[in-house]
Amino acid sequence: MGRDQEIPKNTEMHQPLIRNATVKLKGGSSKGDKVLKFLRKTSSLLAHLIAVIFPVYVTYLSGPGSSLFSWHPALMSIAFATFMVEAILVFSPESSLMFWASRKTKVRAHWILQTSCIVCAIIGFFTIFFNKVRADKPHFKTWHGLFGLVTVIYVAVQASFGIFLLYPAKAKNWKLVQLKTYHATFGLLGFTLGCGTLALGLFSNWFTRNVTGFVWTLCFMAPCWLAFVIMNQVTTAYLPKPRRNAI
């Protein structure tokens, strides 16, 4: 009986230690969240800069109008590194350039930017297609060409399904939350394909003739960084978050 009476006393003695440990964990978790939020914001801001600098540099190298081919790298870089990036970052809680706007306004900006992306991509695709026809060269013989074909078709089809988010009543037997999740998931796949195609284009004869060394490495890192930032944003927004169990 004496031993049984000592147990609650020991438990009471350890209660302050448990509370202190819980408070410390909560404080550390809050500090970690702030650091993570800062890193996400910094990464997204860098993505905004890349979305401007990278296409401008590629456009400068290609010199649009100097040849039929010259329109291809310029339009493709603008389509996927500028329009599509900003179309997704417009929903970023950390670095949206339209942080002041309502959700409805952001959605409108999203589909305008996505439409611009598709228009540029299709024009850029046909410029290289007709350039090869004129030069009597074979089509889709490189990984860059094959990925480009798949990417343009995929993005056009994926964007067309986005119409159901503008008019959810048209999608019968589908919940709005399901449509948003599927659109974000398959959209992320399309963007990853776009970044992969841009990266493969940096290995082309035209680009390696004009850019070498450290500058080439920076150019290669540009689509990789954009893919990383967009992937982080989409997965953070749509993947289920683990619950934190209190001690």
Side-chain angles (χ1 to χ4, degrees):
M1 291 293 292
R3 291 180 181 178
D4 292 338
Q5 291 175 353
E6 290 177 0
I7 292 176
K9 291 181 180 180
N10 290 334
T11 304
E12 290 177 1
M13 288 174 62
H14 288 291
Q15 285 296 330
L17 295 176
I18 295 174
R19 292 193 190 97
N20 290 337
T22 304
V23 170
K24 288 181 179 179
L25 282 173
K26 288 182 178 179
S29 176
S30 177
K31 185 177 181 180
D33 289 342
K34 289 180 180 179
V35 172
L36 184 59
K37 186 176 181 180
F38 172 78
L39 291 175
R40 285 175 177 166
K41 186 172 184 177
T42 304
S43 300
S44 298
L45 290 174
L46 180 57
H48 283 297
L49 291 175
I50 293 174
V52 175
I53 296 173
F54 179 71
V56 167
Y57 182 65
V58 172
T59 301
Y60 166 76
L61 289 176
S62 63
S66 58
S67 64
L68 182 60
F69 167 82
S70 66
W71 291 101
H72 174 71
L75 289 171
M76 286 303 193
S77 61
I78 292 172
F80 291 101
T82 301
F83 286 140
M84 186 172 279
V85 169
E86 293 302 334
I88 301 173
L89 286 180
V90 74
F91 295 115
S92 172
E94 290 88 15
S95 65
S96 173
L97 297 180
M98 299 181 65
F99 60 90
W100 46 267
S102 64
R103 173 76 182 184
K104 184 177 181 180
T105 302
K106 290 180 180 180
V107 169
R108 186 179 295 111
H110 174 77
W111 67 257
I112 290 174
L113 288 168
Q114 284 291 73
T115 302
S116 302
C117 167
I118 294 171
V119 171
C120 283
I122 290 175
I123 296 175
F125 175 82
F126 279 108
T127 56
I128 191 63
F129 182 85
F130 289 121
N131 184 70
K132 286 183 176 289
V133 169
R134 191 171 66 176
D136 196 25
K137 292 182 178 180
H139 298 280
F140 315 119
K141 293 297 183 180
T142 63
W143 285 111
H144 174 65
L146 289 172
F147 267 74
L149 175 64
V150 172
T151 299
V152 171
I153 295 174
Y154 182 93
V155 169
V157 173
Q158 157 67 13
S160 65
F161 279 101
I163 296 174
F164 290 115
L165 285 174
L166 294 177
Y167 306 100
K170 301 287 184 181
K172 297 179 180 180
N173 301 324
W174 290 91
K175 295 180 180 179
L176 182 59
V177 64
Q178 291 177 316
L179 292 174
K180 287 183 177 180
T181 302
Y182 289 140
H183 182 69
T185 303
F186 289 108
L188 176 59
L189 176 58
F191 180 75
T192 305
L193 283 171
C195 287
T197 304
L198 288 177
L200 288 171
L202 303 181
F203 293 91
S204 65
N205 293 331
W206 169 77
F207 197 82
T208 53
R209 278 198 310 267
N210 290 280
V211 183
T212 57
F214 181 68
V215 177
W216 186 94
T217 303
L218 288 178
C219 290
F220 181 79
M221 289 301 297
C224 296
W225 186 264
L226 294 177
F228 164 74
V229 170
I230 297 302
M231 190 178 297
N232 179 71
Q233 177 183 323
V234 174
T235 54
T236 301
Y238 289 95
L239 284 182
K241 299 178 181 179
R243 296 180 179 179
R244 293 174 181 171
N245 296 323
I247 294 178

